[in-house]
């Protein structure tokens, strides 16, 4: 069972925690947000609704949903002075570096949200952060290409507004495709929370010091950046492209990933908790196939991904280690079809995961009565060593 891990009274907080936000059963491949299954959420893909469910514990009523949606619309703009910060980055700056820095910078423009005492204040701060993260991401993308920024369009709902800010041009408004919007809503929903993963634990750790919500989420972006975590969705596409270019066959890549002397891993495969399939990967594979079909397109990388999955799932190396496709294995296929560049994939993961980070930051704040996280260590060094003068050292 995840979420309920006993504290060791002798050691105090051993870096494990109790949470009521997301339930995972790794053996059965079950993932539920506040007890609600992905299947139920998949029938009505609405990322804003899932964000409120995760942060406040239940599906929003009409009033809360309308209030929050209005706040998302009204707070999508950035303070004009934030553009100076974008101008300070080289165009080649990794978008995750820009995102982490700019989320932290947001706190300088919204000091009213540095102290959050109740659900109303958390909801107001969450609306600003969840709304503006789209604008920050779109501006980072436009800046990297030297393109003009697109102001948010208040007539557009959450995901459509993000796509508009990413892809509209002064001479042509981005044409909203409802299949694309539904697919991206589902991608964001499936990334919205995943209990005590590396980046969420980072947000809880930083928040436990009393650090504000913006600083804690900026730390979460940095943790998510790693290739073993959120950065894997970019690495999967790079792996599929290498095979597509003919650098090696799928069979050769799998053989390399099995070789213990090789640093290569089958990216998008394996998971610390899922010892069976990752339910998100199953849904994302279906979403990728359906979106490409609706667009009347084929992506050779999807065929390669299916081939890799087929080979690996018949190979005792992967079977014995219970390695299956995870959330990152198919998500990039969908983002490619939408036209989102590979270097923005982990940024999309961050946009999706933001409500989960906020939910955990807020849960911990209510739980912790001010206790800072202090995981314990087993000391493995010399208990005592003598000091030698530099003149006597080698
Ligand atoms: C995410 O925690 C979360 O919930 C994360 C996440 C979320 O929503 O927040 O689900 C998102 O981060 C998904 C994971 C994305 N990362 C990747 O796809 C990178 C590739 N996967 C691996 O690096 C690995 O599977 C991890 C990091 C995901 C999990 O690593 P573990 O649990 O620490 O497993 P391990 O490294 O101890 O591996 C156990 C064995 C080893 O072999 P042996 O020592 O037994 O011989 O399995 C092997 C590993 O070499 N192995 C792999 C492999 N993953 C594990 N071999 C080849 N390819 C792989 N992908």
């Amino acid at each position: 069972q995840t979420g309920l891990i006993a504290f060791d009274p002798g050691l105090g907080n051993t870096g494990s925690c109790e949470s009521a936000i997301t339930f995972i059963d790794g053996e059965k491949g079950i993932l539920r947000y506040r007890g609600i299954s992905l299947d139920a959420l998949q029938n009505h893909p609405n990322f804003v609704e899932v964000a409120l469910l995760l942060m406040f514990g239940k599906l929003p009523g009409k009033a809360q949903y309308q209030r929050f949606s209005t706040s998302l619309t009204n707070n999508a703009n950035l303070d004009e002075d934030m553009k100076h910060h974008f101008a300070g980055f080289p165009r080649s700056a990794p978008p995750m570096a820009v995102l982490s820095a700019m989320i932290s910078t947001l706190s300088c423009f919204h000091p009213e949200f540095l102290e959050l005492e109740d659900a109303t204040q958390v909801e107001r701060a969450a609306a600003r952060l969840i709304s503006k993260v789209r604008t920050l991401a779109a501006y980072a993308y436009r800046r990297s290409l030297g393109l003009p920024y697109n102001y948010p369009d208040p007539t557009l709902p959450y995901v459509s507004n993000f796509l508009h800010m990413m892809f509209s041009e002064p001479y042509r408004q981005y044409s909203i495709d409802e299949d694309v919007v539904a697919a991206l809503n589902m991608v964001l929903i499936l990334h919205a929370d995943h209990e005590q993963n590396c980046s969420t634990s980072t947000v809880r750790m930083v928040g436990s010091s009393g650090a504000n919500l913006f600083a804690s989420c900026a730390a979460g972006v940095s943790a998510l950046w790693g290739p073993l975590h959120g950065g894997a969705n970019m690495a999967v596409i790079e792996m599929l492209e290498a095979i597509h270019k003919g650098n090696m066959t799928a069979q050769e890549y799998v053989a390399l990933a099995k070789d213990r002397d090789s640093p290569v891993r089958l990216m998008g495969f394996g998971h610390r908790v899922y010892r069976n399939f990752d339910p998100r990967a199953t849904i994302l594979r279906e979403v990728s196939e359906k979106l490409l079909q609706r667009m009347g397109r084929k992506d050779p990388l999807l065929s390669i991904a299916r081939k890799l999955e087929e080979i690996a799932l018949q190979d005792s190396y992967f079977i014995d280690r219970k390695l299956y496709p995870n959330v990152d294995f198919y998500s990039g296929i969908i983002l490619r079809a939408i036209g989102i560049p590979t270097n923005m994939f982990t940024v999309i993961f961050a946009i999706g995961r933001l409500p989960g980070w906020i939910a955990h930051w807020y849960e911990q704040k209510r739980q912790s009565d001010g206790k800072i996280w202090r995981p314990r260590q087993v000391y493995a060094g010399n208990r005592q060593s003598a000091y030698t003068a530099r003149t006597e050292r080698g």
Side-chain angles (χ1 to χ4, degrees):
Q1 296 285 318
T2 61
L4 298 174
I5 302 167
F7 286 78
D8 175 336
L11 285 176
N13 177 344
T14 56
S16 58
C17 74
E18 183 175 301
S19 174
I21 298 169
T22 291
F23 171 78
I24 300 175
D25 182 323
E27 290 303 327
K28 296 184 186 136
I30 293 174
L31 170 58
R32 295 190 190 121
Y33 291 156
R34 298 287 188 178
I36 297 180
S37 74
L38 290 181
D39 295 344
L41 296 171
Q42 197 180 348
N43 297 333
H44 317 278
N46 180 327
F47 175 62
V48 170
E49 186 171 77
V50 169
L52 287 166
L53 169 68
L54 287 168
M55 293 186 293
F56 301 106
K58 59 184 187 341
L59 289 167
K62 286 197 189 71
Q64 185 185 30
Y65 184 79
Q66 188 50 53
R67 181 175 68 237
F68 195 76
S69 299
T70 303
S71 189
L72 289 173
T73 298
N74 296 344
N75 290 285
N77 269 312
L78 301 178
D79 186 297
E80 285 291 315
D81 286 348
M82 284 193 74
K83 287 182 181 172
H84 302 308
H85 297 274
F86 279 99
F89 288 101
R91 285 199 190 159
S92 59
M96 287 295 272
V98 177
L99 186 65
S100 180
M102 296 305 269
I103 285 179
S104 220
T105 303
L106 270 182
S107 62
C108 306
F109 288 86
H110 296 281
E112 69 276 19
F113 292 120
L114 293 182
E115 296 295 330
L116 303 176
E117 295 310 329
D118 59 31
T120 303
Q121 291 178 358
V122 170
E123 184 185 298
R124 286 164 48 84
R128 278 152 185 77
L129 198 38
I130 292 172
S131 183
K132 294 180 193 298
V133 74
R134 295 171 296 177
T135 319
L136 295 174
Y139 279 25
Y141 167 68
R142 304 284 294 180
R143 160 92 186 128
S144 72
L145 299 175
L147 296 172
Y149 299 134
N150 291 310
Y151 282 103
D153 177 343
T155 66
L156 295 174
Y158 191 83
V159 167
S160 305
N161 211 350
F162 171 63
L163 292 167
H164 150 67
M165 288 190 276
M166 283 284 289
F167 301 123
S168 285
E169 297 303 340
Y171 49 86
R172 174 182 41 76
Q173 177 91 354
Y174 174 75
S175 164
I176 302 293
D177 173 335
E178 289 310 324
D179 290 327
V180 167
V181 171
L184 190 48
N185 258 295
M186 206 57 223
V187 168
L188 296 177
I189 287 169
L190 293 173
H191 286 80
D193 191 52
H194 213 238
E195 53 118 296
Q196 304 308 319
N197 59 84
C198 177
S199 54
T200 301
S201 298
T202 300
V203 170
R204 289 185 79 114
M205 171 77 82
V206 172
S208 77
S209 75
N212 67 69
L213 178 62
F214 295 84
S216 303
C217 291
V221 172
S222 298
L224 188 69
W225 193 356
L228 293 186
H229 189 17
N233 55 18
M234 291 168 54
V236 167
I237 292 300
E238 287 152 10
M239 168 181 77
L240 298 176
E241 282 174 335
I243 295 170
H244 180 53
K245 281 191 195 116
N247 300 1
M248 62 180 75
T249 66
Q251 286 79 358
E252 287 165 342
Y253 195 97
V254 168
L256 208 50
K258 289 163 55 179
D259 177 354
R260 295 202 66 175
D261 297 328
S262 148
V264 169
R265 287 202 154 178
L266 187 52
M267 299 311 278
F269 252 70
H271 199 277
R272 177 64 58 79
V273 177
Y274 289 118
R275 307 324 283 174
N276 202 321
F277 66 99
D278 179 337
R280 302 170 296 174
T282 308
I283 295 172
L284 287 167
R285 184 180 60 217
E286 291 161 5
V287 170
S288 63
E289 289 166 346
K290 187 174 153 195
L291 180 62
L292 286 168
Q293 187 189 26
R294 288 280 178 85
M295 296 171 106
R297 288 169 46 182
K298 287 195 176 304
D299 183 347
L301 301 194
L302 177 58
S303 315
I304 294 169
R306 294 305 306 267
K307 183 69 183 162
L308 280 172
E309 181 180 8
E310 183 193 326
I311 295 168
L313 296 190
Q314 292 166 19
D315 186 306
S316 60
Y317 172 94
F318 294 90
I319 296 168
D320 296 350
R321 292 169 177 79
K322 299 181 183 293
L323 303 175
Y324 298 88
N326 60 46
V327 70
D328 293 306
F329 195 62
Y330 288 103
S331 56
I333 302 287
I334 298 165
L335 300 180
R336 263 165 63 89
I338 294 173
I340 293 170
T342 305
N343 73 341
M344 286 289 291
F345 284 6
T346 312
V347 169
I348 303 298
F349 193 145
I351 294 173
R353 188 51 54 90
L354 188 55
W357 288 338
I358 296 170
H360 281 273
W361 181 89
Y362 184 36
E363 180 182 69
Q364 146 149 308
K365 188 177 173 64
R366 294 195 315 279
Q367 279 174 341
S368 72
D369 55 53
K371 261 209 166 316
I372 194 167
W373 266 36
R374 178 72 173 78
R376 306 303 296 273
Q377 75 166 7
V378 173
Y379 179 64
N382 296 330
R383 290 279 171 168
Q384 276 190 314
S385 305
Y387 180 84
T388 48
R390 194 168 318 123
T391 51
E392 293 164 27
R393 295 173 218 155

